[in-house]
Amino acid sequence: MASSMRALVLTCMLLAQWLGAGSTTGFQGDARVVAGATPGRHLGGFFGNYFKSMRARRALPSADEPDDSPIPPGGDASDLPTCLLCVCLTGSVYCEEVSPDMTAVPTLPKETAYLYARFNKIKKINTRDFADIVTLKRIDLTGNLISEIEDGAFARLPLLEELSLADNRLVKLPALPTKLMSFNANNNRLKTKGVKATAFKKLNRLVNLYLANNELEAVPQIPEMVATLHLQNNNITEVNVNTFCKANDTYYLRPSLSEVRLDGNPVVLSKYPDSFTCMKVLPIGRYR
């Protein structure tokens, strides 16, 4: 009995010493002499292996703990799952100012209706980027580095109502989905040769059209339902009767068109008085 008690006390003392010393000091090897033990016997066997095993386990990260290790140098946002980089809520994905740099449209959940991928470094929009996301209603890609959009990139989006490509580097526009209600391409590098005269003709539901701060030389054909048209700070030099009205229809009216901005263009609007007779307000711009 005495020997059993002595062994138990010794075990508790050793365990307390190990816990107090912590893993940095620990046991100095497996060769500590145990007082009162048979001469020549050392701490080993079960207890030695047990404590070594415990120290090893303490050094390993828990499986439940997140891995905070950074992406290797040169890594890209495409190396990570979309909903780890972005905030994914039901039907909405928010990928704004993503770090590491997001250079391409991320893979989206199938049910995504609203995508906000502003202020990143996306350079190109490919046809495959939105090919399978038929639920999209709004896409906001403001403030990227987009210089190219493949024709047809938005063609398979039957529900898309709002599209913002503002503050990018576009020189031409792709075909746009017919149900768009708001389109923003402010602050790009668009020229008339990159925007077909009929680019917006079939957009019968379009209400807001923003093309300010580009390099357009002419006003494109404007759909009937447009209420707000921003074309300020372009290179537009003239307008004519058919720009907003219809030369062959003196009774034609455009009651929907309530705000037209042409300020910051070379055109002198007072030279074209017959060009605005169908409108309820005159455009904002230069008259002398």
Side-chain angles (χ1 to χ4, degrees), residues 152-287:
F154 304 114
R156 300 182 185 179
L157 303 177
L159 303 180
L160 192 65
E161 296 179 341
E162 298 180 43
L163 175 60
S164 179
L165 301 170
D167 301 302
N168 278 284
R169 301 178 178 180
L170 292 171
V171 295
K172 61 178 292 188
L173 291 180
L176 299 171
T178 57
K179 290 189 177 180
L180 271 186
M181 298 180 68
S182 181
F183 178 67
N184 190 342
N186 285 344
N187 300 301
N188 276 278
R189 301 172 182 176
L190 295 171
K191 295 186 177 183
T192 295
K193 65 180 180 181
V195 180
K196 295 178 181 178
T198 57
F200 308 106
K201 183 178 180 180
K202 295 182 179 180
L203 277 58
N204 296 323
R205 299 179 62 190
L206 191 66
V207 175
N208 301 311
L209 179 56
Y210 304 103
L211 297 170
N213 299 296
N214 281 285
E215 301 172 25
L216 298 172
E217 297 92 7
V219 178
Q221 188 170 341
I222 309 300
E224 291 286 331
M225 291 298 295
V226 170
T228 303
L229 174 63
H230 285 188
L231 288 164
Q232 67 268 31
N233 302 320
N234 278 280
N235 294 324
I236 298 170
T237 56
E238 65 176 9
V239 294
N240 58 56
V241 177
N242 289 310
T243 300
F244 301 108
C245 304
K246 294 181 179 179
N248 58 356
D249 187 354
T250 56
Y251 296 99
Y252 174 73
L253 297 175
R254 295 196 72 149
S256 298
L257 195 56
S258 57
E259 181 181 330
V260 179
R261 289 194 58 180
L262 287 166
D263 46 311
N265 284 279
V267 61
V268 179
L269 299 176
S270 59
K271 292 182 178 181
Y272 310 95
D274 296 333
S275 298
F276 315 118
T277 56
C278 64
M279 299 166 59
K280 64 179 182 180
V281 295
L282 289 173
I284 298 170
R286 180 184 173 194
Y287 284 87

